[in-house]
Amino acid sequence: MADERLIAALDVSTRAEAEKLVTQLGERVGYYKVGMELFYALGGDIVTWLKGERKKVFLDLKLHDIPNTVGNGICSLLRLRPDILNVHTAGGLRMMKAAAEALHSAAAEADIPCPKLIGVTVLTSMDAEDWAGLGHTEPVADSVLRRAKLAQEAGLDGVVASPAETAEIRRACGEDFLIVTPGIRPAGVSHDDQRRVMTPAGAIRSGASQIVVGRAIYAAEDPRAAAEAVLKEMEAV
Ligand code: C5P
C-alpha cells in the first residue's frame, strides 16, 4: 500500500523517463508531482496517464498572475483532474481568493471533487541573503508565516513551505491545514540548489502533511531503494 505522505517529483522531461521512474517505483509510491519541466514538455497528457495508472497527482505550476487570469487558469487545469493544484502566495490575498472561489465553483458545476488548492510561500532554494536581495526586510520565516496565514484567510487548503517553517505554520493554521514540504534531503545526500532543507523524518516530526522528494529519489543509483529508505524513515517517526 502506498504511503501518500510521500510525493515523488517527476522532474524529467520525456514520457519515457517518466514512465520508467513510475514503473521502477511501483506500488509503494502513489503520489507524483508534475512540475513545469514535464508539463511544459508534454502538456496535460502526462497527468491523464498518471491518473490512468491510479496515481495521485500534485500539479505544481505555481500560478502567479492577476486574479482574473489565475482564476480562469486554475479552472482550465481542473479538467485534468489533479489532486492538488497550487498558486504562488506572492500574488496576494485577492489573487488567492479568486483562485479558490473559481476552483470551487468550477468543480461544483462539473460535479467533481474539488482538488486541494495550496500556496507556495517562499521557495526552499532561497536563503536570507536571496530574500534580502529582493528588498524584503523581515526574516524569511516571518514572511512564510505571514503568507501561510494569508493563504488560509483566502480559503486555500494549505501551503508549500520548507520543513524549517512547518512547526510554526502548524501552530498558527491548525491541524487540518495541509503543509507540503520540499527541500527534503536524507542524511548524506547533496543539498544541490536547496538552502532550507531537512531529512524526511525531521519534516514529518515537525508537522508536515506530505513531503516532496525529487533528486534524492530520481537521481539515485537505485530510485526504488532510495524511495524505500525515505518511506521507512517516515514510517519510523
Ligand atoms: O530535487 P528536489 O527534491 O530538490 O526537488 C524539489 C521539488 O520541489 C522541485 O520539483 C521543485 O520545483 C519543488 N519545489 C521546491 N520549493 C518550493 C516549491 C516547489 O523545491 N517552494
Side-chain angles (χ1 to χ4, degrees):
M1 192 44 197
D3 183 337
E4 293 190 349
R5 291 179 302 170
L6 171 62
I7 305 179
L10 271 178
D11 288 339
V12 295
S13 55
T14 65
R15 171 83 176 241
E17 288 169 294
E19 283 191 16
K20 184 173 169 209
L21 190 62
V22 172
T23 308
Q24 269 177 330
L25 297 181
E27 290 300 312
R28 283 282 273 154
V29 177
Y31 228 118
Y32 285 92
K33 184 176 85 71
V34 173
M36 57 177 78
E37 182 178 354
L38 195 56
F39 192 81
Y40 292 166
L42 302 180
D45 286 357
I46 189 66
V47 179
T48 308
W49 177 74
L50 283 163
K51 298 299 295 184
E53 294 293 304
R54 294 195 306 281
K55 301 298 183 188
K56 288 199 172 168
V57 178
F58 167 19
L59 189 50
D60 175 28
L61 299 177
K62 305 183 176 68
L63 276 66
H64 184 190
D65 209 314
I66 59 171
N68 184 59
T69 305
V70 169
N72 292 333
I74 210 99
C75 291
S76 297
L77 295 174
L78 177 67
R79 288 189 210 117
L80 299 171
R81 310 288 294 268
D83 299 278
I84 304 179
L85 282 165
N86 65 357
V87 296
H88 205 302
T89 59
L93 182 66
R94 281 188 298 114
M95 180 271 251
M96 290 191 274
K97 266 191 182 160
E101 283 167 15
L103 188 65
H104 283 109
S105 0
E109 202 170 306
D111 198 20
I112 56 177
C114 193
K116 299 286 182 203
L117 182 62
I118 63 179
V120 176
T121 52
V122 174
L123 297 173
T124 43
S125 55
M126 301 200 76
D127 60 16
E129 200 182 321
D130 298 321
W131 196 236
L134 285 172
H136 296 288
T137 49
E138 68 180 2
V140 178
D142 293 1
S143 298
V144 169
L145 193 59
R146 171 195 302 279
R147 290 176 175 207
K149 288 179 185 165
L150 269 184
Q152 190 169 43
E153 186 186 337
L156 267 56
D157 301 292
V159 287
V160 183
S162 103
E165 293 110 26
T166 303
E168 280 236 41
I169 298 173
R170 179 64 67 218
R171 262 195 299 279
C173 299
E175 283 309 307
D176 295 336
F177 202 58
L178 269 181
I179 308 175
V180 177
T181 59
I184 301 298
R185 292 293 182 276
V189 171
S190 159
H191 288 189
D192 305 300
D193 56 348
Q194 298 284 23
R195 293 292 176 269
R196 302 183 346 267
V197 302
M198 207 180 272
T199 62
I204 295 296
R205 247 184 247 120
S206 68
S209 322
Q210 285 171 296
I211 63 172
V212 171
V213 186
R215 283 163 288 188
I217 291 180
Y218 73 75
E221 217 162 281
D222 181 346
R224 192 184 177 108
E228 197 57 51
V230 168
L231 286 162
K232 286 241 164 68
E233 196 183 315
M234 282 188 344
E235 283 159 4
V237 173

